[in-house]
Amino acid sequence: MQIMARVIGSLALALACTYAFAQNAALPMPPSGVIGVQDAMLSPDYWIAKLHAPDTVLMSRAQIDAQNRRMFDTDPSMYDLQRIGPTLNRAQVASWIRKVSRMPDKTLLDEHDQPIPAATLNAIVSNVALDQIPAQVTARYGLTVHRVSLRSFPTKLRAFPGKGLQDFEAFQESALFPGDPVAIVHTSLDGQWFFIVSPRYAAWVESSAIAVGHRDDVLAYAAKAPYRVVTGDKLRTVYTPEAPDVSELQLDMGTRIPLAQLPPDQPVNGEGPYESWTLNLPVRASDGSLRFQPALLQRKLDSNADYLPLTQANIVRQAFKFLGERYGWGHLYNGRDCSGFVSDVYRSMGVQMPRNTGDQSRSPVLHFRAFTDQDDHAARMQAIAEAQVGDLIYIPGHVMIFLGWNDGQPYVIHDVGGLVFRDAGGKMRWTKTNEVSVTPLLPLLISDKLSYVDAITSIVRIRP
């Protein structure tokens, strides 16, 4: 996913992230219309069984931690909150805001495909209040209390770049999850939005989703132990009328929450904890300040005492837990987009990655093979032949996880909007997926003249 303001000017990149064009008469056409895919392929075990050593650890925990440190030290798309503030100058804050808060120069449409009035858009721009940034900004710090959207502008208005493009929300950037730390560096004119810097993104968030606390408390929260890591796609805490702020709270894959140190024989929010983990979750008091509240997460749900080992089997299993989840640009629709999908999968194994495809594909910390116009088709096919399960394959605006080979065809799992291909009779067909899908890679096309293989910009391998 790229910043929407940039994508609108080049919609082809956005469509590349959601539509795969395939032409291969040799592949079977099942009733689903998803070319080359049979029901057996929709199980992770099908692909894991093809691996020689699926449980070999690819990187140790120490190696992953060291890579994460290098990521925050050297990757410009990542932010080490320990180094932000407590005092910032106006130019730095304004630069962060201007980077994301850029109104597209094309007409934006509302949910009914009607043009949004210029006065409405002007009011949104005014709410940014760039002229209100003081010469010296005192940063505040907070923890996210529930999953919430990150926006390019301080508004909940939904805007779209063209008719029928409701899967591309113009002001949607990304998302934050419970327990995510942020530095608050600006407030909107109406006081309802914070401009925040999080470890992987800087954007606008509703102030009601952030509990403001002492800097040391906020930054120490993520390092507390013991903890649980969410290894399922989406889990929910136990329902509790006694503590509605943490009742049935959604926790997405890769979220790490410390455990509350409470007596095991005492009820938590009206329920005994013996068959649940007692989490220590941040909540927002009525004055906006940070508090902590215990909440129960059932032991039977998919969580772990630490990040999962980085193995090919775990990469495949974690990716398949999202199979069939609806595509969501910037984590919209309670889902995720192509880059959000791969980063959440790897996050469950402790690997930190940039948010957007472009930053992921060229991160100075990750091992990648870049491709240019000088690389011919044969060179790219050779790279596919040498790909390993779990490798990330990038084309402009899109990323896929390499699954392996089946009957001489390479396959991927990715968050994709649909497939356009020629059937056995040469007729162009279209199948909408709009979800995390298993598909063949060859011979996917971006256009009639450009294949996915020939559009590859990078192949990333997560290794020491």
Side-chain angles (χ1 to χ4, degrees), residues 1-2 17 173 327-332 335-342 355-356 415:
M1 177 251 186
Q2 303 296 327
C17 194
E173 293 292 328
Y327 176 87
W329 175 270
H331 281 81
L332 270 179
R336 58 218 79 230
D337 54 28
C338 57
S339 56
F341 162 62
V342 302
R355 172 62 184 89
N356 289 335
D415 214 342

Side-chain angles (χ1 to χ4, degrees), residues 203-218:
W204 293 94
V205 65
E206 292 179 83
S207 58
S208 59
I210 306 297
V212 181
H214 294 291
R215 182 178 189 273
D216 291 346
D217 294 338
V218 167

Side-chain angles (χ1 to χ4, degrees), residues 171-214:
F171 299 143
Q172 181 72 13
E173 293 292 328
S174 189
L176 295 173
F177 302 96
D180 280 352
V182 300
I184 304 163
V185 299
H186 188 48
T187 303
S188 62
L189 188 64
D190 63 9
Q192 301 301 304
W193 296 80
F194 291 148
F195 191 90
I196 61 88
V197 181
S198 72
R200 297 199 308 155
Y201 220 78
W204 293 94
V205 65
E206 292 179 83
S207 58
S208 59
I210 306 297
V212 181
H214 294 291

Side-chain angles (χ1 to χ4, degrees), residues 113-323:
D113 285 337
Q114 297 302 308
I116 298 174
T120 300
L121 298 177
N122 290 338
I124 291 171
V125 172
S126 296
N127 201 30
V128 171
L130 277 175
D131 59 347
Q132 301 296 311
I133 303 173
Q136 293 295 315
V137 176
T138 300
R140 293 181 291 163
Y141 300 84
L143 292 175
T144 309
V145 298
H146 58 75
R147 175 174 167 149
V148 64
S149 291
L150 283 172
R151 309 282 285 170
S152 56
F153 283 91
T155 180
K156 290 196 287 186
L157 177 70
R158 300 184 68 206
F160 305 96
K163 290 186 176 181
L165 294 177
Q166 274 72 23
D167 287 314
F168 299 99
E169 218 277 72
F171 299 143
Q172 181 72 13
E173 293 292 328
S174 189
L176 295 173
F177 302 96
D180 280 352
V182 300
I184 304 163
V185 299
H186 188 48
T187 303
S188 62
L189 188 64
D190 63 9
Q192 301 301 304
W193 296 80
F194 291 148
F195 191 90
I196 61 88
V197 181
S198 72
R200 297 199 308 155
Y201 220 78
W204 293 94
V205 65
E206 292 179 83
S207 58
S208 59
I210 306 297
V212 181
H214 294 291
R215 182 178 189 273
D216 291 346
D217 294 338
V218 167
L219 299 183
Y221 180 79
K224 288 185 176 181
Y227 53 86
R228 299 299 294 181
V229 174
V230 175
T231 48
D233 57 342
K234 302 166 190 165
L235 309 184
R236 289 190 178 273
T237 58
V238 170
Y239 171 79
T240 168
E242 290 86 353
D245 288 342
V246 296
S247 179
E248 296 187 318
L249 184 72
Q250 181 172 308
L251 304 172
D252 286 65
M253 182 181 287
T255 301
R256 168 178 163 164
I257 303 293
L259 296 178
Q261 303 299 301
L262 298 176
D265 61 345
Q266 297 298 309
V268 174
N269 304 330
E271 181 179 340
Y274 83 103
E275 61 178 7
S276 297
W277 305 106
T278 303
L279 306 181
N280 191 33
L281 284 163
V283 295
R284 189 174 188 269
S286 59
D287 63 355
S289 62
L290 175 63
R291 301 287 185 272
F292 293 97
Q293 175 70 40
L296 298 180
L297 181 69
Q298 291 176 301
R299 289 176 183 254
K300 68 179 182 180
L301 299 181
D302 195 353
S303 73
N304 203 54
D306 200 355
Y307 294 104
L308 296 173
L310 180 61
T311 67
Q312 290 183 318
N314 279 338
I315 294 169
V316 174
R317 289 193 189 99
Q318 293 304 99
F320 270 77
K321 290 176 183 179
F322 288 120
L323 189 67

